[in-house]
Amino acid sequence: MLQFLLGLSDRQAAESVRCRIDFKYAMAMELDDPGFHHSVLADFRDRLAEDDRADRLLDLALARLKEAGLVRERTTQRTDSTHVLAAVRDLTRLEMVTEASAPHSKKSPAHPRTCWTNCR
């Protein structure tokens, strides 16, 4: 989930598991745990895609949530999309700043390109 939320590649996610304390904490790993090879993530996704395992896993998770009283059957479930809207708004602002700072002509030395994100 962290990989998806942060938009990380398999290699970046595996490196984060090795180096970042927040990843280790979220995965209940010891601080000195060496992590895993990035190919493990692709292998896991492949296994999850076999024989509707993802659907069975979701059904199991929902059953456990129902048992715990966190989800009721046959009711409307609501989600709060405030964080989604905020992320879209922030991205839109970033895009506007990037567009405003971009040169009008790539060959124009009068308007040097400013990099606001992780540029190389």
Side-chain angles (χ1 to χ4, degrees):
M1 287 185 1
L2 291 172
Q3 178 183 7
F4 174 75
L5 289 171
L6 298 174
L8 301 176
S9 69
D10 287 350
R11 288 181 190 270
Q12 291 170 323
E15 181 68 19
S16 294
V17 168
R18 281 191 291 281
C19 301
R20 292 181 52 172
I21 193 170
D22 53 341
F23 273 62
K24 288 183 183 280
Y25 180 79
M27 296 179 66
M29 297 171 74
E30 296 292 328
L31 291 176
D32 59 350
D33 192 301
F36 49 82
H37 192 266
H38 66 87
S39 64
V40 170
L41 295 170
D43 293 341
F44 176 75
R45 280 193 300 273
D46 290 342
R47 287 196 335 251
L48 195 58
E50 293 173 1
D51 304 321
D52 297 324
R53 288 180 180 177
D55 290 334
R56 291 193 318 227
L57 183 60
L58 179 60
D59 290 342
L60 177 62
L62 286 173
R64 298 267 170 90
L65 291 170
K66 287 175 188 175
E67 289 172 9
L70 298 172
V71 175
R72 288 181 269 159
E73 284 196 49
R74 310 241 188 260
T75 61
T76 302
Q77 301 297 318
R78 293 179 176 84
T79 57
D80 182 5
S81 62
T82 305
H83 65 285
V84 174
L85 295 175
V88 169
R89 184 175 49 248
D90 289 344
L91 179 60
T92 303
R93 287 180 184 156
L94 177 62
E95 288 171 343
M96 286 190 301
V97 168
T98 303
E99 286 298 317
S101 66
H104 297 288
S105 168
K106 291 185 179 184
K107 295 180 180 178
S108 172
H111 298 284
R113 183 163 173 85
T114 305
C115 184
W116 296 98
T117 57
N118 189 11
C119 299
R120 290 190 171 97

